[in-house]
Amino acid sequence: YYEALGIAKRLGLIDGVGDNKFNPTAKISRQDLIVMTDRVLKLNKKVITTATVQELNNFSDKDQISTYAINSIASMVKEGIIQGDGSSINPLANTTRAE
């Protein structure tokens, strides 16, 4: 999948795990999936919302969200794309096939 990863990286959709590396066998966290989704939607001009951290105030686990993911998650919440489970986002949980 190196070609697809290279394209996604050039488009700014993914960053990898650092040091110009990817971990293709690692599970993807919910926050990472949300960040990638936000980037794809913004690249395609499907979402142009700018959100603030206040969008996350209703979630009890907002402090678990990594700094790099805060704006993307806030944007997806504001757009109504991400709703969490009512009280939490579960940013560090692994994604499921359904998600």
Side-chain angles (χ1 to χ4, degrees):
Y1 302 103
Y2 74 92
E3 187 175 346
L5 288 172
I7 292 168
K9 182 172 172 119
R10 277 193 304 277
L11 291 172
L13 304 177
I14 57 175
D15 294 324
V17 295
D19 200 25
N20 204 30
K21 295 181 182 178
F22 290 93
N23 186 355
T25 60
K27 295 184 180 197
I28 299 173
S29 70
R30 288 174 46 83
Q31 69 182 357
D32 288 343
L33 180 63
I34 294 168
V35 168
M36 288 184 280
T37 301
D38 180 55
R39 290 175 179 175
V40 168
L41 292 173
K42 286 181 177 167
L43 178 71
N44 289 291
K45 298 182 178 21
K46 301 295 181 187
V47 170
I48 56 172
T49 300
T50 302
T52 64
V53 70
Q54 283 75 27
E55 301 295 332
L56 306 174
N57 284 342
N58 293 331
F59 299 104
S60 61
D61 59 353
K62 67 182 177 210
D63 295 335
Q64 294 177 16
I65 300 171
S66 297
T67 304
Y68 70 88
I70 289 173
N71 291 335
S72 290
I73 294 175
S75 178
M76 295 291 96
V77 167
K78 186 173 183 176
E79 285 287 326
I81 295 170
I82 301 298
Q83 299 174 1
D85 66 7
S87 64
S88 60
I89 292 284
N90 298 313
L92 303 177
N94 293 324
T95 56
T96 65
R97 290 178 66 92
E99 292 169 323

